[in-house]
Amino acid sequence: MRPFRIEIPQADIDDLNERLARTRWPEGEIPDADWSRGVPVEYLKELAEYWRSGFDWRAAEARLNRYPQFITEIDGTDVHFLHVTSPEPDAKPLIVTHGWPGSVAEFLDVIGPLTDPAAHGGDPADAFHVVIPSIPGYAFSGPTRAAGWDTRRVARAWAELMSRLGYDRYFVQGGDWGMPISLELGLADPEHVAGVHVNMFVTFPPQDPAAFEGLDATDLGRLEFAGRFQQDGMGWQRIQSTRPQTLSYGLTDSPVGQLAWIVEKFKEWTAADKVPEDAVSREHLLTNVSLYWFTGTAGSSAQLYYESAHGDEAFARTWGGPWPLEAPVGVAVFPEDAALPIRRWADPLLPTLTHWTEFDKGGHFAALEQPALLVEDVRAFVRPLRRG
């Protein structure tokens, strides 16, 4: 393992600013177009100009570099990760995994409360040693140069990472791609995984018509939402699952293209009202987009979709389980997420499900939108398991 610091060359920052200044903007937008047709031009122009002239990448870089970072080679690829140890002697290890279009930057607001709860008004008995890796193909774990990096392979890499760090017994947390990766890690390393906590859990409608009987209004609303999402909200997934290489050219060459591709999801998958900044600050949003841009990983990050749709298991298996883990599982449900599970359909998929929390606010990027709620739910899930 070698220590790592983020040090983007000034020439790369200058290149970004020059490209933003020379953006070729589309003409002929439909009058009064809203977000239903994609990111509105005037909004994106203003955000791109802020990225060019108002956003301070060096400040964002310094914030990321406050935490110890490392790179190690696992299974032929470099894996970048943050490793923040707790001052508490009885802290438990916790590995946290992001998804797309996220990054390790999602978790900056939860590292302190997780590792040093006493300094953040919490109980020191809830402390964790936190490991936050970048998925292979993402940011400084990318680009990957070999096929086959699906969720199971990532999970096996995480098991190796935790072993190298000397953690014999550890907890797991993740959302988006971090959800199936975390559950697969529980299957891949059952002797060492003490519990798995996820957000954005997915339940697909069962084949048995009887499964629909007696669903309450909340569950019926979630079914209706899933139908709309399947019809109107899956475009990014279709492209990234089928032609990630073709997509990569535009996103790697155009910062505004990369910005639009990501910012759309921060609008659609959060509790944002009119613009993404209603849910996530511009600084967080642009830090995340900048990581994709500076590392040129738009295409390699999309390969995870392709691998999980074309490997031995279908895409539905990747997201829909079942996951017969030995370790207990906890699920946090945030109401504005991209997927809203139905509890009674979740039970057969997660035989060791012991913890289920439904919140009344928050969305897909829980650690950014509702960091306190996510932290407390992880703590509550782990407390009865700490003696294991």
Side-chain angles (χ1 to χ4, degrees):
M1 295 186 180
R2 57 190 188 272
F4 177 80
R5 281 180 60 83
I6 303 172
E7 295 176 327
I8 299 301
Q10 185 60 43
D12 290 357
I13 299 173
D14 294 342
D15 175 71
L16 167 62
N17 292 336
E18 290 169 6
R19 288 170 181 265
L20 288 169
R22 292 186 289 105
T23 300
R24 182 186 181 197
W25 293 98
E27 299 291 342
E29 184 179 35
I30 300 297
D32 300 319
D34 61 14
W35 285 79
S36 65
R37 293 175 182 264
V39 184
V41 173
E42 291 306 314
Y43 167 79
L44 197 64
K45 281 184 177 181
E46 196 271 330
L47 183 61
E49 176 57 27
Y50 181 80
W51 193 13
R52 187 185 72 84
S53 61
F55 175 67
D56 185 349
W57 165 253
R58 291 303 185 198
E61 186 179 69
R63 189 180 182 212
L64 284 159
N65 282 332
R66 287 208 298 263
Y67 302 103
Q69 298 174 60
F70 304 86
I71 289 181
T72 188
E73 183 179 319
I74 301 177
D75 195 10
T77 197
D78 281 344
V79 172
H80 161 260
F81 63 98
L82 281 63
H83 183 204
V84 187
T85 56
S86 172
E88 300 298 334
D90 296 326
K92 298 296 184 182
L94 173 71
I95 182 169
V96 181
T97 307
H98 65 86
W100 184 92
S103 66
V104 298
E106 283 182 60
F107 304 108
L108 296 182
D109 288 342
V110 302
I111 291 174
L114 287 172
T115 58
D116 193 3
H120 294 80
D123 185 345
D126 287 326
F128 295 96
H129 303 303
V130 176
V131 179
I132 308 175
S134 297
I135 298 172
Y138 287 69
F140 302 104
S141 287
T144 48
R145 304 188 186 280
W149 278 99
D150 59 8
T151 56
R152 289 182 172 183
R153 187 171 176 182
V154 177
R156 293 193 298 269
W158 281 190
E160 174 63 19
L161 175 61
M162 296 303 276
S163 175
R164 292 185 188 183
L165 291 171
Y167 291 136
D168 183 65
R169 194 77 172 154
Y170 59 91
F171 293 92
V172 183
Q173 203 286 323
D176 192 88
W177 279 115
M179 183 274 289
I181 289 169
S182 295
L183 293 168
E184 292 291 351
L185 179 52
L187 293 174
D189 198 19
E191 294 182 0
H192 302 107
V193 172
V196 178
H197 180 281
V198 298
N199 52 292
M200 207 211 81
F201 188 70
V202 179
T203 54
F204 291 103
Q207 296 295 321
D208 184 0
F212 295 83
E213 296 177 1
L215 292 178
D216 61 19
T218 298
D219 287 340
L220 290 173
R222 291 179 178 182
L223 271 180
E224 182 181 355
F225 168 81
R228 293 196 306 270
F229 190 81
Q230 183 73 21
Q231 179 69 27
D232 191 57
M234 299 288 284
W236 102 97
Q237 186 250 83
R238 301 277 195 266
I239 295 173
Q240 298 197 159
S241 296
T242 57
R243 300 295 186 270
Q245 188 62 38
T246 303
L247 174 69
S248 72
Y249 302 117
L251 301 190
T252 304
D253 189 58
S254 168
V256 164
Q258 179 69 94
L259 179 64
W261 194 246
I262 289 178
V263 77
E264 179 184 270
K265 301 311 165 196
F266 276 82
K267 168 62 169 64
E268 292 183 349
W269 298 348
T270 67
D273 180 19
K274 295 181 179 179
V275 293
E277 297 92 319
D278 293 337
V280 176
S281 76
R282 280 196 169 184
E283 308 310 310
H284 279 312
L285 177 60
L286 292 174
T287 297
N288 187 66
V289 174
S290 296
L291 285 173
Y292 280 82
W293 174 258
F294 287 131
T295 58
T297 50
S300 60
S301 63
Q303 295 292 340
L304 182 57
Y305 284 85
Y306 186 93
E307 298 292 352
S308 298
H310 290 81
D312 293 335
E313 302 289 341
F315 195 84
R317 164 62 185 87
T318 299
W319 290 97
W323 289 281
L325 279 74
E326 296 179 15
V329 175
V331 174
V333 182
F334 293 88
E336 303 295 332
D337 207 340
L340 298 174
I342 292 176
R343 172 61 193 268
R344 79 185 203 193
W345 293 355
D347 288 324
L349 303 175
L350 300 169
T352 56
L353 181 61
T354 61
H355 178 94
W356 183 280
T357 308
E358 300 204 8
F359 294 101
D360 60 3
K361 57 184 176 180
H364 188 70
F365 304 94
L368 286 175
E369 297 177 73
Q370 298 296 333
L373 294 182
L374 180 64
V375 166
E376 183 50 42
D377 202 60
V378 172
R379 290 172 177 171
F381 167 65
V382 169
R383 279 178 194 134
L385 307 175
R386 278 184 173 268
R387 292 188 297 272

